[in-house]
Coordinates of all heavy atoms in Angstrom, one line a residue:
Chain A
G161 N 148.1 20.5 -3.1 CA 148.7 20.3 -1.7 C 148.3 21.3 -0.8 O 148.8 21.4 0.3
D162 N 147.2 22.2 -1.1 CA 146.7 23.2 -0.3 C 145.6 22.5 0.8 O 144.4 22.5 0.2 CB 146.2 24.4 -1.0 CG 145.7 25.5 -0.2 OD1 145.6 25.4 1.1 OD2 145.2 26.5 -0.8
A163 N 145.9 22.2 2.0 CA 145.0 21.5 2.8 C 143.8 22.4 3.2 O 142.8 22.0 3.5 CB 145.7 21.0 4.0
R164 N 144.1 23.7 3.2 CA 143.0 24.7 3.6 C 141.9 24.7 2.6 O 140.8 25.0 3.0 CB 143.7 26.1 3.7 CG 144.0 26.5 5.2 CD 144.7 27.9 5.4 NE 146.0 27.9 5.4 CZ 146.8 29.0 5.3 NH1 146.2 30.1 5.1 NH2 148.1 28.7 5.3
A165 N 142.2 24.4 1.4 CA 141.2 24.3 0.4 C 140.2 23.2 0.7 O 139.0 23.4 0.5 CB 141.7 24.2 -1.0
F166 N 140.8 22.1 1.2 CA 139.9 21.0 1.6 C 139.0 21.4 2.8 O 137.9 20.9 2.8 CB 140.7 19.8 1.8 CG 139.9 18.5 1.9 CD1 139.4 18.0 0.8 CD2 139.6 18.0 3.1 CE1 138.5 16.9 0.8 CE2 138.7 16.9 3.2 CZ 138.1 16.3 2.1
D167 N 139.6 22.2 3.7 CA 138.8 22.6 4.8 C 137.6 23.4 4.3 O 136.5 23.2 5.0 CB 139.7 23.6 5.7 CG 140.9 22.8 6.4 OD1 140.8 21.6 6.4 OD2 141.7 23.5 7.0
E168 N 137.8 24.1 3.4 CA 136.6 24.9 2.8 C 135.5 24.0 2.2 O 134.3 24.3 2.4 CB 137.1 25.9 1.8 CG 137.8 27.1 2.4 CD 138.2 28.1 1.3 OE1 137.3 28.5 0.3 OE2 139.3 28.6 1.3
L169 N 136.0 22.9 1.6 CA 135.1 21.9 1.1 C 134.4 21.2 2.3 O 133.1 20.9 2.2 CB 135.8 21.0 0.2 CG 136.2 21.4 -1.2 CD1 137.2 20.4 -1.8 CD2 135.0 21.7 -2.1
V170 N 135.1 21.0 3.3 CA 134.5 20.4 4.6 C 133.4 21.3 5.1 O 132.3 20.8 5.3 CB 135.5 20.0 5.5 CG1 134.9 19.5 6.9 CG2 136.4 18.9 5.1
I171 N 133.8 22.5 5.3 CA 132.8 23.5 5.7 C 131.5 23.6 4.8 O 130.4 23.7 5.3 CB 133.5 24.9 6.0 CG1 134.6 24.9 7.0 CG2 132.4 26.0 6.2 CD1 135.5 26.0 7.0
K172 N 131.7 23.6 3.6 CA 130.7 23.8 2.7 C 129.8 22.6 2.6 O 128.5 22.6 2.6 CB 131.2 24.0 1.3 CG 130.2 24.3 0.1 CD 130.7 24.5 -1.2 CE 129.6 24.7 -2.2 NZ 130.3 24.9 -3.5
Y173 N 130.3 21.4 2.6 CA 129.5 20.1 2.5 C 129.1 19.4 3.7 O 128.2 18.5 3.6 CB 130.2 19.1 1.5 CG 130.1 19.7 0.0 CD1 131.2 20.2 -0.6 CD2 128.9 19.5 -0.6 CE1 131.0 20.8 -1.9 CE2 128.7 20.1 -1.9 CZ 129.7 20.6 -2.5 OH 129.6 21.0 -3.8
S174 N 129.7 19.7 4.9 CA 129.4 18.9 6.1 C 127.9 19.0 6.5 O 127.2 18.0 6.8 CB 130.3 19.3 7.2 OG 130.5 20.6 7.4
P175 N 127.2 20.2 6.5 CA 125.8 20.3 6.9 C 124.9 19.3 6.0 O 124.1 18.6 6.5 CB 125.5 21.7 6.8 CG 126.7 22.5 6.9 CD 127.6 21.6 6.2
R176 N 125.1 19.5 4.7 CA 124.3 18.6 3.8 C 124.6 17.2 3.8 O 123.7 16.3 4.0 CB 124.6 19.1 2.3 CG 123.6 18.7 1.4 CD 123.6 19.3 0.1 NE 122.5 18.8 -0.7 CZ 121.3 19.1 -0.7 NH1 121.0 20.2 0.1 NH2 120.4 18.6 -1.5

Side-chain angles (χ1 to χ4, degrees):
Chain A
D162 181 358
R164 264 182 260 170
F166 193 75
D167 292 351
E168 286 184 46
L169 288 168
V170 173
I171 293 167
K172 183 176 179 182
Y173 284 103
S174 51
R176 194 167 181 84

